[in-house]
Amino acid sequence: MTSPTDIGAALQQDGDAGGRTEPFGLGGSPLRSDALPKALGIYPYAADLWAEGLLWGAVLRSPHPHARIRGIDTSAALALPGVHAVVTAADLPAGPDGLPDGAPSGPIVADRPVLAAGVVRHHGEPVAAVAADHPDTARLAVGLIAVDYEPLDAVTDPEQSFTAPPLHPDGNLFRHLPLRTGDPEAAGEVVVEGLYQVGRQDPAPLGAEAGLAVPRPDGGVELHLSSTDPHGDRDRTAACLGLEPDRVRLVVTGVPGATADREDLSFQVTLALLALRTGRPVKMTLTREESFQTHTSRHPALLRYRHHADAEGRLVKVEAQILLDGGAYADVSAEALAAAAAFSVGPYNCPNVFVDAWAVRTNNPPAGRMRGEGALQACFAYESQLDQLAARVGVDPVEIRRRNVMATGDPLPTGQAVTCPAPVSALLEAVAGEPLPALPVDDPDAEWLLPGGPGGAGDPAAVRRGIGYALGMVHMLGAEGEDEVATATVRVSGDHATVICAAVDAGQGFATLARQIVQSVLGVGEVYIAPADSDQSVAGPSARGRHTWVSGGAVERAALMVRHQLLQPIAANFGMSAELLQIADGKITSYDGVLGMPVAEALEGKELWATAQCRPHPTEPLDEAGQGDAFVSIAFCAMRAVVDVDIELGAVRVVEVTVAQDVGRALNPRQIEDRIEAGVAQGVGLALLEDLRTEGGLLANPSLTGYRLPTALDTPEIRVAALLEERDVVAPFGAKAVSAVPAVTAPAAVAAAVRAATGLPVGRLPIRPEDAVTG
């Protein structure tokens, strides 16, 4: 573990945001400029904000998963000394029919009200909000709001939503996606079937949602939030408030880690509404329980599969039914469903695929974007099927995968050819060829390594080791016709450069990458990354690895335009083309070695700038048979998990996870490995621990005590066997996203290893102790 002193020393050696890093530019691994302040606990987050005349906000949330609101009495709350405003759905712009509708919004479908209007559809849904001069006063006032609820029957089983009365005017079906390719009459000599369940994983950010809203003189509002999509959040907030977008400004504060959408829209709109109503700054910091109630989580899933294969285990046909529980509101359920259906077979070839996939509405908490949404649930199911098939055919798990893996040029079940590098076979061989870790019983001092730790109740003789393999895949960027575009500006003045781009660094290291790009293109060591806000040009949300590709591509194009401005007059003075000059290690040199000039000298007294966009090639929606070129590119991963299982107690310890990943090009190897480790840790959490439970629609464990997260002791040794660099020619720099695919693959690999250790089917995530007991 690196201490703050070690980090400080590394910063002095590598440089910071205003100094040159070593090694220089792309391909190096400079330390992140925010590493020291985060390690020391002095990095500013939204919860640290303050303003003169500050008021505090609090939200009243529904205690019911489904109820009709017959009336709201706010008089007692308004009478409390120190209370400045109480707002409900009636204070938001009315709907098309002139009645309060809670100003519904959403990333795709506008169906989620900011404040419940007439009906609450999930536990914890916002109903009213208060602004007061002290946080305790605000929360006390919330408790004085009297709401007359008429409880309604809650639909909490997604299978029941098909026949249940409509929970919303839009109905209970978010999307049905049939996928059909090949011969429906095809059959194999070997058939295996399985039913698989995936629980509700929460992003559980260490920092709960917080923000500050400041009213503006023009009647608008300025929001300071840890947003990961400043322009999208600004536009949706403005629409909900009935304002023009230019009257809402969103300033991004420090994001305390984000593996999903950072905020539910109702949080920021309510905050802005309170500021506008009171004419004073309003701050809101959610409790941990509210945080669990506010943001979306991973879609729980039920997956039924039937694999047909020939006698040697080569796939003939895959049939599947996939059901995603989208919760009360649509959010990105349609996107998640597309990924689940398109990747339902995994990175394997199968000529005949027949899938029906549904995403439905329930009275459970809303599900949304989270690393590898849709792809993770499918990965657990199809990899479990491959293990079953290997056992039936009589080959080992690696061999069954060898016989079926896809390669570049092979088609997806959607009919789209995989034109990007798909080195799936090489990834599999890389993890299979790595040496296995030693058994703890071979080391008398390693008793603590057994499941249960030292002095545990288990018998070491009951411990069995299992080895499991999994292959995963995710798409990058938006899908099905979504327009992906980012804009960046690069300014150079003297010996330093500034990058202006609204891409939010949510922990993926974009700020460091942008600095490296400019260093590589322009040879400038001092690169400053301007803070992101909605006054800058659009860069899009921090999701699906898009900023490495789209925003990084925009930074590179802007830097290349500045490079041309710099080199063109120099080349003209020497009677040569600018293309004959190169910049490397801070120097401009000519092809013949005649010219050699420091970049700093060439830039002296100059002010150069350029703005550029990056827009990947377009995609198209899947048709009524699930066919179409829906994805820009795909990333792949292979993983081997080694576990020790106490088969009497069901205790599981993940000993080691070995990873080989398709990265296109390693732009920053250290950041890539860090991101892989984070993805594996998150995947291990879902495999064994993380489950946001509901009981009758009510959240049962909305706390970091009840919702179990993996600690350092739960996280295994993670070995990166290979970072395969086969450049994707259509991607800037040839690089692929790296964060999501290890999170997608790890749960399947851990489940496979537990299956190997116990001989049990393991059809549910997370794996509970009773799922791993053999006697």
Side-chain angles (χ1 to χ4, degrees):
M1 180 178 292
T2 305
S3 69
T5 303
D6 296 333
I7 294 173
L11 275 173
Q12 291 179 357
Q13 176 181 352
D14 286 354
D16 59 16
R20 174 168 171 160
T21 59
E22 295 292 347
F24 196 76
L26 294 173
S29 296
L31 194 68
R32 294 172 56 116
S33 59
D34 58 0
L36 181 58
K38 285 183 175 178
L40 295 177
I42 59 175
Y43 188 79
Y45 294 107
D48 303 315
L49 297 175
W50 190 262
E52 188 68 28
L54 185 70
L55 298 176
W56 294 82
V59 175
L60 174 69
R61 300 178 184 278
S62 169
H64 304 286
H66 195 203
R68 183 172 289 110
I69 299 174
R70 292 186 292 207
I72 302 178
D73 184 356
T74 63
S75 58
L78 283 167
L80 185 69
V83 172
H84 290 256
V86 179
V87 296
T88 66
D91 296 286
L92 291 160
D97 57 3
L99 299 175
D101 65 354
S105 186
I108 300 175
V109 178
D111 70 339
R112 187 173 188 175
V114 172
L115 295 170
V119 177
V120 292
R121 297 184 177 89
H122 70 90
H123 178 220
E125 182 165 4
V127 175
V130 172
D133 55 12
H134 191 278
D136 290 344
T137 305
R139 296 193 182 281
L140 180 60
V142 161
L144 294 175
I145 299 173
V147 182
D148 181 10
Y149 291 107
E150 177 191 347
L152 303 173
D153 291 339
V155 178
T156 58
D157 182 346
E159 291 187 282
Q160 293 178 355
S161 69
F162 291 100
T163 56
L167 304 176
H168 187 278
D170 292 346
N172 294 348
L173 181 63
F174 294 132
R175 186 178 190 183
H176 171 222
L177 180 57
L179 192 156
R180 311 280 189 262
T181 183
D183 179 7
E185 301 302 321
E189 299 175 61
V190 181
V191 179
V192 295
E193 299 184 51
L195 175 64
Y196 306 98
Q197 293 176 279
V198 178
R200 186 184 307 277
Q201 185 182 28
D202 194 88
L206 293 182
E209 288 78 357
L212 172 68
V214 182
R216 302 196 325 189
D218 65 355
V221 65
E222 184 169 287
L223 289 162
H224 297 258
L225 299 163
S226 52
S227 169
T228 59
D229 183 10
H231 291 90
D233 287 347
R234 177 203 64 184
D235 294 346
R236 289 187 287 270
T237 299
C240 290
L241 295 173
L243 298 174
E244 293 298 318
D246 61 3
R247 293 177 64 191
V248 177
R249 181 175 183 237
L250 198 149
V251 180
V252 178
T253 60
V255 180
T259 58
D261 286 345
R262 179 57 195 160
E263 258 108 20
D264 164 53
L265 190 68
S266 67
F267 173 83
Q268 55 223 44
V269 179
T270 303
L271 193 60
L273 180 62
L274 290 171
L276 291 171
R277 176 57 60 91
T278 62
R280 290 172 61 175
V282 179
K283 179 179 177 178
M284 197 183 300
T285 303
L286 300 189
T287 65
R288 180 56 60 181
E289 180 176 359
E290 287 181 303
S291 180
F292 275 103
Q293 294 173 332
T294 294
H295 55 240
T296 57
S297 55
R298 190 180 300 284
H299 290 78
L302 183 67
L303 309 99
R304 294 183 175 90
Y305 266 75
R306 181 184 295 125
H307 276 53
H308 296 249
D310 64 19
E312 295 182 344
R314 291 182 175 84
L315 294 177
V316 173
K317 184 169 71 171
V318 171
E319 300 169 285
Q321 293 178 329
I322 299 172
L323 178 60
L324 300 185
D325 180 357
Y329 297 109
D331 207 82
V332 296
S333 290
E335 286 186 6
L337 194 74
F343 303 148
S344 55
V345 179
Y348 303 105
N349 285 311
C350 183
N352 308 291
V353 180
F354 296 86
V355 176
D356 276 291
W358 299 270
V360 296
R361 192 189 305 271
T362 65
N363 291 121
N364 292 320
R369 185 167 286 128
M370 195 169 176
R371 277 179 179 158
E373 60 269 13
L376 181 147
Q377 294 91 328
C379 182
F380 170 56
Y382 66 67
E383 288 299 280
S384 299
Q385 287 285 103
L386 263 288
D387 283 344
Q388 220 189 133
L389 184 59
R392 286 284 301 276
V393 174
V395 299
D396 66 55
V398 174
E399 181 57 30
I400 199 70
R401 289 166 172 82
R402 283 194 188 111
R403 295 179 183 183
N404 289 288
V405 291
M406 67 164 44
T408 303
D410 288 337
L412 295 173
T414 60
Q416 178 175 352
V418 179
T419 55
C420 66
V424 187
S425 179
L427 295 173
L428 178 61
E429 299 306 328
V431 296
E434 287 291 305
L436 291 166
L439 293 166
V441 293
D442 295 336
D443 183 354
D445 297 323
E447 180 187 352
W448 66 276
L449 291 174
L450 292 168
D459 180 359
V463 175
R464 302 290 184 270
R465 172 153 290 188
I467 302 166
Y469 294 86
L471 301 176
M473 61 194 299
V474 297
H475 71 93
M476 292 175 287
L477 312 181
E480 294 195 271
E482 184 174 341
D483 183 27
E484 293 279 12
V485 62
T487 305
T489 297
V490 174
R491 298 181 183 273
V492 179
S493 177
D495 62 350
H496 66 276
T498 299
V499 176
I500 302 171
C501 183
V504 176
D505 192 335
Q508 78 274 34
F510 174 76
T512 303
L513 176 61
R515 186 174 299 114
Q516 290 179 270
I517 292 168
V518 174
Q519 289 170 343
S520 288
V521 174
L522 294 175
V524 177
E526 187 176 340
V527 182
Y528 171 70
I529 311 299
D533 64 54
S534 61
D535 284 349
Q536 299 165 3
S537 298
V538 174
S542 298
R544 301 177 299 266
R546 69 181 310 282
H547 284 325
T548 297
W549 184 312
V550 186
S551 299
V555 171
E556 181 195 36
R557 292 181 183 186
L560 287 171
M561 293 165 68
V562 172
R563 174 191 174 108
H564 184 77
Q565 296 173 30
L566 173 63
L567 297 183
Q568 184 64 35
I570 297 173
N573 287 340
F574 284 85
M576 64 176 67
S577 168
E579 285 72 23
L580 298 178
L581 300 179
Q582 63 177 0
I583 298 177
D585 297 324
K587 293 181 179 180
I588 301 171
T589 57
S590 61
Y591 75 102
D592 55 8
V594 172
L595 174 64
M597 177 189 301
V599 171
E601 179 182 330
L603 285 170
E604 190 172 353
K606 289 185 172 66
E607 296 276 349
L608 307 174
W609 69 274
T611 298
Q613 281 190 341
C614 179
R615 178 180 266 115
H617 64 269
T619 57
E620 62 187 26
L622 297 173
D623 65 19
E624 64 279 0
Q627 301 298 293
D629 290 350
F631 307 110
V632 176
S633 188
I634 299 171
F636 302 90
C637 176
M639 204 169 284
R640 183 189 70 191
V642 179
V643 304
D644 286 339
V645 182
D646 186 321
I647 60 173
E648 292 180 346
L649 299 179
V652 179
R653 174 176 174 263
V654 184
V655 177
E656 180 185 88
V657 172
T658 303
V659 185
Q661 191 156 323
D662 153 45
V663 300
R665 178 186 173 192
L667 302 178
N668 184 316
R670 180 159 63 187
Q671 276 194 174
I672 288 175
E673 293 196 11
D674 289 347
R675 300 296 285 167
I676 289 173
E677 290 178 3
V680 170
Q682 189 173 43
V684 169
L686 174 59
L688 298 177
L689 299 169
E690 298 185 51
D691 188 13
L692 188 61
R693 303 189 310 277
T694 58
E695 296 174 0
L698 304 180
L699 287 176
N701 57 331
S703 70
L704 293 184
T705 301
Y707 184 82
R708 299 184 301 158
L709 288 165
T711 68
L713 294 178
D714 300 301
T715 303
E717 182 73 22
I718 299 169
R719 179 191 303 178
V720 178
L723 299 178
L724 290 191
E725 296 187 71
E726 293 187 22
R727 298 191 183 187
D728 189 342
V729 296
V730 301
F733 331 109
K736 292 187 177 184
V738 298
S739 299
V741 68
V744 163
T745 314
V750 171
V754 173
R755 192 178 296 119
T758 63
L760 299 173
V762 187
R764 176 172 53 191
L765 293 180
I767 303 167
R768 295 180 288 193
E770 55 264 39
D771 299 329
V773 174
T774 62

